[in-house]
Amino acid sequence: MSAKALREYHGKKLLAKYVEECSDGAHIMDNRAALVTPDTDFDMLVESEPWLNETNLVVKPDQLIKRRGKAGLVGLNLDFAQVKDWIAERMKKEIKVDQATGELDHFIIEPFLPHDQADEYYICVQNNKSGEEMLFYSEGGVDVGDVDAKASRLHVNIDEELTEEKIASAGLLTGVPEDRLPKLSSFFVALFQVYRKLNFTYMEINPIVVTVDGTIAPLDLAGKIDETAAFLCSSDWGHLDLPAPFGRKEYPEEAYIRELDSKTGASLKLTILNNTGRVWTMVAGGGASVVYADTISDLGYGHELANYGEYSGAPSTEHTFEYAKTIISLMTKERDERGKILLIGGGIANFTDVAATFTGLIKAIETFRDDIKANHVQIWVRRAGPNYQEGLRMMRSCADETRLPIHIYGPETHVTAIVPLALGLAKVDDFPEFDDPIHEKKITSRKRKSPDGEEPAKEELKPQSADHDANHKVENFSASTQCVVYGLQNQAVQGMLDFDFMCKREKPSVSAMIFPFSPNHYIKYYWGTEEVLIPCYQKMEEALKKHPNVSVMVNFASFRSVYTTVMEALQYSDQIKTIAIIAEGVPESQTRMFNKCAHDKGVGIIGPATVGGIKPGCFRIGNTGGMLDNIVMSKLYRPGSVAYVSKSGGMSNELNNIICRNSNGVYEGIAIGGDRYPGSLFIDHLLRYNDNPDVHILVLLGEVGGVDEYEVCKALKSGRITKPLVAWCIGTCASIFPYEVQFGHAGALAQAQLETAMAKNEALKEAGEFPPDK
């Protein structure tokens, strides 16, 4: 999910149109509204909207500004001439609201509706993982106060409808006069239908007015829609302006990257935070991009951070070139005598070809070579993953040919080590670059030694008895786990077979494939040096019937078709016990629906928006763990005793690397996916690990957004989790921004104080986890 706030103007237009449709004409709202920008011609506006000269008006900025009434940003009961003067006094003027400073450039004009204070109410609809929650309070307006504490609440499950009977039985409209109850209740049913039909994720109306004559009108509306549902709703939405948060200037380059992103199956994101900042980033991976921003902030350079963004999901060479070109052109527009820093970082990629993306990146560096030199830009590179050695060698050749100061590191260096190096806070001599001869030597200093210099005796880890008998929904993978792969993903399947062979499995973990767009056939793969044929079926039913030992589905269906394929697979819940959903951009409404169905049928879901997971020596999902060289480097071919769960797929590979270098290795690792409502939660996997006698240490990598980490806190405090847990939530940098920032993952956005990374880290620490050393 990617929740995007829309202008009040568009929100009210949608509401007026579809409330009438969903109520079969029972509720007709006044849809008169006009949007004014710096380019508006008032004479032409009056021609198209003659009512502007026929009634008294209300005018206010329409730029996602909260509490406009208290800030003196609402003009009431004005005629059109007064409205024009009111706008002229404020247009293109800079103001400060709370901590955000921005320029006023969009205004909404509406008819003024005379009413009494007693006619004002408060209504809010918001998503949660199992459905929607409605909040209502019988008083509205700027002085409504703490509605969370005051409001009546009604929860509607994702697979249920809202009815007037449910509203009445829940006492939602407590405090509303009897004569208004029927109409207001009927209106809320229609409002809820519109909310779902248009894939809203949040809608607050304060106040909503009900007059003596029965008129219902939303005076102030704030709404967010699920941008990933565009393929379902774009014709219903029409043109929507999705502005940046107030206080953050929107740049044409951001719009250009959004357009590129919409045309590729990869992910390209760019947000300009401070166009004159010295520190620019081009980071691969949604999780890694947040970690880099955190590190820059933690080191005291948050005010110098120029941008936030990420590229991931195997973008093409050309898309990478366009992305890099856009960042470098922005970076070199404003000169800083101190010079600038470009951090080209990322985690250990699972399937993105580093050399292919670096080809596009190097082309951009060569194109802007003179500008980079003129701006005294220092470039610092840290990257790993498929074909990374070739990519780093290409970058070294680029540095030699362009004579640009480019410092290059690989997976032997910590993921964010280049940040303090670039900022001058660490010594370069302490961090040899990737092609330094020292890396070719056998470094014995990595082995842990006792204070007297002797290597400690190898400690035998004894199995730990499980404290609980629990029915965990996600399957405990083994060396005999069999899966079916949905989609023609030959590279991923070959990677799974290579892993299987390295782990000395008796037979491949992939029993069959499903591809609905071609008749049944066989596909040739390698099992070691031998060739094997894996059947590919057109029908899911036939594939599962002919392979009864299959219990896992790895689903590579696109975001457009994944809902249908998951719901079909859930019809075979007596056989399929775990489904991994790889697709990003699945609409939240569909995700919550198949999550609910899976829960009811006892099927575990990993994802959506995940790379999957890995159980060393046993089974891996798709591209998890990357290429064979990374499997070997991180010792994923045999089990250790540390089990982790992460939001991020790219950072899970970093965890593989870190755990391998600091322990006896990974027992199992799962990336639950970056969406706001993943099918399985941190707690689901941590309880599995806690109850497994072969697991000795638990690791959790959370992030800003959502509240799932608090379930882990409860389990720690209650004693349900008994094993040592190392936990951290990334996204602590969010606190330095005066406005809302959507990070790389769709779920990485704090909508309340409890969802901030800082609050969750503090709660985890208080509950008894072991925070990592910074």
Side-chain angles (χ1 to χ4, degrees), residues 107-121:
F107 298 84
I108 181 174
I109 309 172
E110 302 172 281
F112 174 73
L113 178 64
H115 64 277
D116 296 328
Q117 179 64 40
D119 297 333
E120 294 186 354
Y121 303 101

Side-chain angles (χ1 to χ4, degrees), residues 587-621:
E588 182 181 306
S589 57
Q590 295 186 341
T591 296
R592 292 179 300 150
M593 186 65 82
F594 60 59
N595 283 348
K596 172 69 164 56
C597 184
H599 180 272
D600 292 345
K601 291 176 175 287
V603 176
I605 298 283
I606 300 173
T610 182
V611 70
I614 191 164
K615 187 168 183 180
C618 293
F619 181 73
R620 84 161 172 173
I621 296 171

Side-chain angles (χ1 to χ4, degrees), residues 67-383:
R67 295 177 288 278
R68 289 168 295 184
K70 287 192 172 183
L73 293 175
V74 181
L76 294 170
N77 204 13
L78 307 178
D79 62 29
F80 188 48
Q82 292 172 314
V83 164
K84 289 192 289 184
D85 291 340
W86 194 93
I87 292 175
E89 290 174 9
R90 294 162 178 80
M91 180 66 80
K92 305 298 286 184
K93 298 294 192 302
E94 191 174 87
I95 66 165
K96 184 175 182 179
V97 180
D98 295 330
Q99 300 301 311
T101 300
E103 194 176 82
L104 297 178
D105 54 15
H106 281 72
F107 298 84
I108 181 174
I109 309 172
E110 302 172 281
F112 174 73
L113 178 64
H115 64 277
D116 296 328
Q117 179 64 40
D119 297 333
E120 294 186 354
Y121 303 101
Y122 173 93
I123 181 72
C124 177
V125 188
Q126 55 191 6
N127 287 1
N128 57 37
K129 63 183 178 183
S130 58
E132 292 85 13
E133 185 177 45
M134 298 188 76
L135 285 76
F136 176 82
Y137 189 53
S138 57
E139 298 175 18
V142 293
D143 297 318
V144 66
D146 185 2
V147 289
D148 279 338
K150 297 177 179 178
S152 304
R153 297 170 184 265
L154 171 61
H155 184 268
V156 185
N157 289 330
I158 189 66
D159 57 349
E160 297 176 351
E161 298 294 333
L162 179 66
T163 63
E164 293 183 50
E165 291 73 22
K166 287 181 182 177
I167 291 174
S169 62
L172 183 68
L173 303 184
T174 300
V176 177
E178 287 288 334
D179 61 324
R180 293 184 175 181
L181 283 174
K183 187 155 191 175
L184 196 55
S185 179
S186 171
F187 178 83
F188 282 170
V189 169
L191 175 73
F192 187 80
Q193 291 173 358
V194 173
Y195 181 93
R196 280 190 171 173
K197 174 183 177 68
L198 300 182
N199 275 265
F200 275 88
T201 65
Y202 176 85
M203 183 187 292
E204 181 186 58
I205 304 175
N206 180 35
I208 186 166
V209 166
V210 184
T211 62
V212 175
D213 65 2
T215 299
I216 298 180
L219 296 196
D220 281 283
L221 181 147
K224 295 182 178 182
I225 52 98
D226 182 0
E227 193 179 28
T228 63
F231 73 97
L232 298 172
C233 299
S234 58
S235 60
D236 292 329
W237 290 343
H239 170 72
L240 286 183
D241 182 8
L242 303 175
F246 181 73
R248 185 174 74 76
K249 183 180 177 183
E250 201 156 23
Y251 290 80
E253 290 86 351
E254 293 173 329
Y256 176 63
I257 296 301
R258 279 199 302 273
E259 183 182 359
L260 278 184
D261 182 58
S262 68
K263 295 176 179 178
T264 174
S267 177
L268 301 170
K269 302 289 186 292
L270 177 63
T271 299
I272 307 303
L273 303 172
N274 173 12
N275 68 313
T276 61
R278 290 182 58 227
V279 182
W280 291 76
T281 64
M282 182 173 165
V283 182
S289 62
V290 180
V291 172
Y292 270 79
D294 281 353
T295 306
I296 294 165
S297 174
D298 290 344
L299 294 174
Y301 285 78
H303 64 290
E304 294 278 20
L305 181 58
N307 70 305
Y308 170 78
E310 61 102 6
Y311 69 107
S312 59
S316 68
T317 297
E318 189 59 29
H319 279 130
T320 308
F321 166 68
E322 292 295 328
Y323 185 76
K325 181 181 74 172
T326 302
I327 290 175
I328 296 173
S329 66
L330 281 164
M331 178 181 63
T332 54
K333 276 184 180 178
E334 301 280 345
R335 183 163 297 189
D336 191 309
E337 293 306 317
R338 298 170 296 172
K340 295 190 177 183
I341 295 166
L342 175 59
L343 299 170
I344 300 171
I348 302 173
N350 289 288
F351 58 91
T352 296
D353 187 320
V354 174
T357 54
F358 270 27
T359 300
L361 173 57
I362 290 168
K363 181 181 175 183
I365 291 173
E366 292 172 344
T367 301
F368 286 87
R369 176 180 56 185
D370 294 340
D371 292 326
I372 291 171
K373 283 183 178 178
N375 282 271
H376 307 294
V377 177
Q378 293 271 336
I379 300 175
W380 297 78
V381 180
R382 191 277 186 180
R383 197 70 172 103

